[in-house]
Amino acid sequence: ADRYAVFGNPIKHSKSPRIHAAFAEQTGEAVDYRAQLVELGTGVFEQQVEQFFAEGGKGLNITVPFKQNAWRMASWRSAAAERAGAVNTLYRNELGTLCGDNTDGVGLVCDLQNNNGISLKGARVLMLGAGGAVRGVLEPFLKAGAVEIVIANRTVAKAQELVELFSDLGQLSACGFEDIEARAFDVIVNGTSASLQGELPPLPDAIVGADSACYDMMYGAQPTPFCNWASQRGAAKVIDGLGMLIEQAAESFRIWRGVKPQTPELIAQIRAELS
Ligand code: ATR
C-alpha cells in the first residue's frame, strides 16, 4: 500500500487515520495512513517531512502547529494555499517537486453546500475570528459566491489585516464583536478558538435571523457554546465542524488519489462514535 501520514503535535486524538482508512476501504485504494507525532524544535518538522518522502511516502496532512512550516517548505502552492498562508496537504508531483495545498476552506464550503444545503451564492457572511482558521476559508467562500464577508475579531487589527489581504477578491470589512451591525446574516461562521475554553465571543442577538445558518468550525460530543447560542436564537440551521473535518480529508484524498470519497455515511458514523 502507498504510505500517507498526518504530522502534528499533539496528534494522539487525530481522527485522520480512521477517516482515511474508511476512504481507502470505500474506494478500494491501497492506502496506509498513520498519525505521527513531530517534536517541536527548530528544523525537526522539516527533517521529518524530507525523510518521509525520501523513504517513499506519498502524501502528508499537516496539522497544528506546523501548517505555516509546510507552507514555507512547499516549492509549489495551490492558489488556496498561497492565500491561506498555510498548507495542510503535501505531496510530490511527477517531477519530484514538493507541492502544498490547503483543503480546509474547500472542506467547509463542501460541508455547507453539499451536506447541509446552504448555498454561499449571494450570501452575506459574518466570520468570527481572524486567525489561521478564518484566513484559510476566505478565498473559497468568495469563490463560492459570497457577496459580502464581515470579519469580526477580538483584536480588530487582525481582522483588518485579513481584509487587506483578500480585498481584491470581494467585499470585505472588519470590526470588533460589539460593533457588528445589528442585522441578520445569511451565514455566520465561528472560527475563533473561544469554544476550546468553553467561551463565546460577546455577540449581538440581531445577527441571527430566522433564515440564518450558523456554523462552528469546532465540534464535540456535546453542542459547542456557539451552537447552543445559535439554537437558542432560532437559527434555521446550526452545524458544527465535524463535517468540515471529514470533507477536508476527502479533498486531500482526492488530490492524492484522484478519487473523491463519499462522505455522508462516514460523517454519521463518526458522529455516533463521539458520544
Ligand atoms: P486558529 O489557527 O485556530 O485560527 P489562531 O490563529 O490562534 O488559531 O486564532 C484564534 C482566533 O480565536 C483569533 O481570532 C482569536 O482572537 P484574537 O485575534 O483577538 O486573539 C480568537 N479567540 C481565541 N480565544 C478567544 C476568546 N476567548 N474570545 C474571543 N476570541 C477568541
Side-chain angles (χ1 to χ4, degrees), residues 110-155:
C110 267
D111 193 39
L112 279 168
Q113 300 205 351
N114 304 348
N115 300 334
N116 293 288
I118 298 160
S119 173
L120 288 171
K121 204 165 189 62
R124 302 193 177 276
V125 176
L126 173 62
M127 218 31 104
L128 307 172
V134 166
R135 182 168 170 179
V137 303
L138 291 174
E139 190 225 42
F141 263 57
L142 291 165
K143 290 204 167 151
V147 290
E148 179 188 3
I149 303 182
V150 175
I151 307 172
N153 196 41
R154 187 172 58 182
T155 314

Side-chain angles (χ1 to χ4, degrees), residues 129-134 153-155 158 177 191-194 197 199-201:
V134 166
N153 196 41
R154 187 172 58 182
T155 314
K158 279 173 70 182
F177 296 125
T192 72
S193 47
Q197 302 118 50
E199 286 174 10
L200 183 71

